Amino acid sequence: MAGRGEPPEGPPESPAGGGEDEYRSLVFDESFVRAARLKEFSAQERMGDHAPAVRSLPGRRLRTGPRAAIALVLLIALAFGMAVYMGLRHPYEAPVGRRAEPLRSTVVPLAPQGAVPGGTAAALLAKSPAAHFGKGAAGINLPVIRRTDNFSDSQVATALTTVKDYLVASSLDPDVLSGASARPVELLLDPDQTAQFERSMNRPQDDGQHAATGWLVRFDPAKVALAGPDIRVRGTLSYTEEGSDTLEVVSDHTFTYTLRPVAAGPQPAGGASLFTVRRELHFRFDREDLRLHRLELRTSFVQAGPQACPADTTGALRPLLAGQHAVSRGPAGTDPYATGRPTAALCGTLAVSSPQSPAQSPSPAHPSSGAPPAPQSRP
């Protein structure tokens, strides 16, 4: 029988190598082992009082049905409305919704007092008041450019250079002068005036709105041609505001051409003659015109001679050439080389001033006068 401190099977054998077992004094009898119960704690019990690392959220019900559809439609409508609003409220200046007015033009033929002088182109120009005029586009000078209350320096410069381009295209371009093309002039016009311009070119009428010579200088190609490329020009440009969104430019220039008759065979050496055209034009620009490099021609007042009086000048100017006389004369003498207010009349008499006569200073027309006011240069 086993001792009290030994297990029933007897004392355990010592391990190989000898030495006391440190747990030898701790002995569990069979009844103790059998009575022992193994219990495995659950995860919650093993955690004790510790808070869980992840908490589960309370369950949410997924929105479905008509409410979700309505919310989606409202969200799309709100996004679309915001896009439209931002498109309308962009930071750039909105173009002015104003249509260009039709051109109002007056063309006055000037009849010579006697026979039209003839000679070579160079000799005629040297003896005329146009001897000291500028040549071609060099005679169209810009005034001093200063900003206005509502337009910057660059915008004023754009308006003036656009007007100069129009004067060059409509008064100096050989194709335009001969009637071969009108496209260079049309490209510079506001689109609202395109239909009126095309009708004036194709079906000119003496109604104050559809005269081709109100838009440009054109000679009858069947009768006359340029005797030389030297065209003399002198005049002024001025500008002013018409409102916060409108800029007005006024041009007043005299153009002197040398012409010759169109005939078969060689031309005589002294068969050239002078022809003078004075054009006073009023232009208007809005901000869209300035941005697109175009203009609106509001009024055109033209005096041109020597021509027969009266003469049909709606489609083209019909100059009297060297040695020719006018059948009848106009009511009063008119000097196209003189500055100041032009005389409004259906026909006039060509009275050429002396080159030594001092130029008159421009003066504005009285408000009750039917003639357009002459431009004044700004300092």
Side-chain angles (χ1 to χ4, degrees), residues 263-324:
Q267 298 292 323
S273 60
L274 295 183
F275 190 83
T276 305
V277 179
R278 180 180 176 185
R279 307 180 72 198
E280 183 182 310
L281 309 177
H282 289 239
F283 303 91
R284 183 162 61 183
F285 296 84
D286 58 27
R287 298 187 185 277
E288 189 74 359
D289 293 331
L290 294 173
R291 186 177 69 85
L292 298 177
H293 190 69
R294 68 190 189 193
L295 50 80
E296 173 190 345
L297 180 57
R298 298 181 61 189
T299 61
S300 171
F301 188 84
V302 180
Q303 296 174 318
Q307 296 186 92
C309 191
D312 181 12
T313 58
T314 56
L317 300 175
R318 306 182 188 280
L320 294 175
L321 301 175
Q324 295 180 340

Side-chain angles (χ1 to χ4, degrees), residues 50-63:
H50 294 284
V54 179
R55 296 183 181 181
S56 60
L57 297 176
R60 291 185 178 181
R61 293 169 55 188
L62 183 62
R63 292 184 179 180

Side-chain angles (χ1 to χ4, degrees), residues 22-112:
E22 57 178 335
Y23 297 106
R24 186 172 182 177
S25 59
L26 182 63
V27 179
F28 299 96
D29 56 12
E30 184 178 2
S31 60
F32 174 80
V33 172
R34 291 178 178 176
R37 293 181 179 181
L38 298 177
K39 181 180 179 181
E40 183 177 359
F41 294 96
S42 65
Q44 185 69 27
E45 290 174 335
R46 288 197 300 269
M47 290 177 62
D49 295 334
H50 294 284
V54 179
R55 296 183 181 181
S56 60
L57 297 176
R60 291 185 178 181
R61 293 169 55 188
L62 183 62
R63 292 184 179 180
T64 58
R67 288 179 136 183
I70 293 174
L72 181 60
V73 170
L74 290 177
L75 182 61
I76 294 175
L78 181 62
F80 180 76
M82 183 62 68
V84 172
Y85 175 79
M86 294 301 294
L88 294 177
R89 300 282 296 185
H90 57 78
Y92 302 102
E93 297 175 339
V96 180
R98 179 189 60 80
R99 292 187 62 84
E101 299 177 2
L103 167 67
R104 294 177 288 110
S105 62
T106 302
V107 181
V108 180
L110 303 179

Side-chain angles (χ1 to χ4, degrees), residues 122-171:
L124 290 172
L125 286 173
K127 296 177 182 179
S128 74
H132 302 291
F133 288 8
K135 295 183 179 181
I140 306 175
N141 299 312
L142 303 184
V144 176
I145 298 175
R146 295 192 179 123
R147 63 169 293 118
T148 63
D149 292 339
N150 298 285
F151 292 90
S152 65
D153 297 348
S154 61
Q155 289 174 319
V156 173
T158 298
L160 292 172
T161 54
T162 304
V163 168
K164 181 174 180 177
D165 291 343
Y166 184 89
L167 293 174
V168 171
S170 63
S171 307

